[in-house]
Amino acid sequence: MVTVILFVYGSCLGSLIVALACRYAQQASYWSPASHCDSCQRPLRYWQLIPILSYLLLRGRCHFCHVPIPFTVLLVEIIGGLVATTISDNFSLRVTLWLILWGFAALCDSRTLTFPGWVTWATAGLALVGQPPVSWGIGLGLLFLIHRLWPHWHSPTIGDGDLEMLVSAGLLWGVTVTAQWLIIACLLAISRARTTDRLPFLPYLTTAATGHWLITVILTSAW
Ligand SMILES: [Zn+2]
């Protein structure tokens, strides 16, 4: 029963981050207007706001204008639910919140190649809770350096946001675990890269980190 409740909460958070990322990309207010179709702008009814179920009931299309709803919406709601079911202690709670916040940043990055800067500091706080002062010093020092130096680098090979996520992950999981899913993220990105245009890398990093976390929890039977 607890697992079902956690899944529902997680899928709601998944739904929320998709909606917020859409508004970030449109430079619209996070708070108003109420949830609506991005195509016809009609406000959604209560039964069109239920994560996962609404998508299935609507068969992936807007009830009013029949424009397809991106499949990403359903995918993020399901993954959000699955990640939340891994919550069993303080660490897994922090990992879940960390992944959801970076999931939000990845959705923003996929649309605009940017994301709100507060995500970096909020997730660093989640990663550093309970750690010794030296870790706080090193972690925040590295993030501050990236934040200050990257704008002066004309053509960096990796974005500052991507690097901030990796530093944050290193603080949360350690370097070894981060290196494991970083390889997967790179392979995913290489397999999808078709042009020389700048690639939003955060979606691949977040996908690989989330997959690694879910598989680790399943394998250690902590689910
Ligand atoms: Zn519509």
Side-chain angles (χ1 to χ4, degrees), residues 83-126:
V83 170
T85 61
T86 65
I87 297 173
S88 60
D89 55 15
N90 182 284
F91 179 70
S92 51
L93 172 64
R94 286 193 289 125
V95 170
T96 298
L97 294 174
W98 190 94
L99 285 172
I100 284 170
L101 284 175
W102 279 113
F104 165 64
L107 289 165
C108 294
D109 189 43
S110 68
R111 291 169 167 87
T112 64
L113 291 174
T114 62
F115 65 89
W118 59 262
V119 172
T120 297
W121 304 106
T123 49
L126 284 169

Side-chain angles (χ1 to χ4, degrees), residues 22 60 81 119 124 131 165 220:
C22 256
V119 172
Q131 298 213 32
M165 196 257 198
T220 53

Side-chain angles (χ1 to χ4, degrees), residues 38-116:
D38 283 334
S39 180
C40 64
Q41 308 299 319
R42 301 264 300 262
L44 302 182
R45 294 173 185 165
Y46 72 92
W47 63 272
Q48 296 163 348
L49 294 167
I50 308 164
I52 302 171
L53 284 181
S54 291
Y55 187 95
L56 299 175
L57 283 171
L58 292 162
R59 297 184 181 181
R61 289 179 181 274
C62 169
H63 177 66
F64 306 108
C65 66
H66 307 294
V67 164
I69 302 164
F71 183 67
T72 315
V73 174
L74 178 66
L75 204 60
V76 174
E77 288 172 352
I78 293 172
I79 293 171
L82 288 176
V83 170
T85 61
T86 65
I87 297 173
S88 60
D89 55 15
N90 182 284
F91 179 70
S92 51
L93 172 64
R94 286 193 289 125
V95 170
T96 298
L97 294 174
W98 190 94
L99 285 172
I100 284 170
L101 284 175
W102 279 113
F104 165 64
L107 289 165
C108 294
D109 189 43
S110 68
R111 291 169 167 87
T112 64
L113 291 174
T114 62
F115 65 89

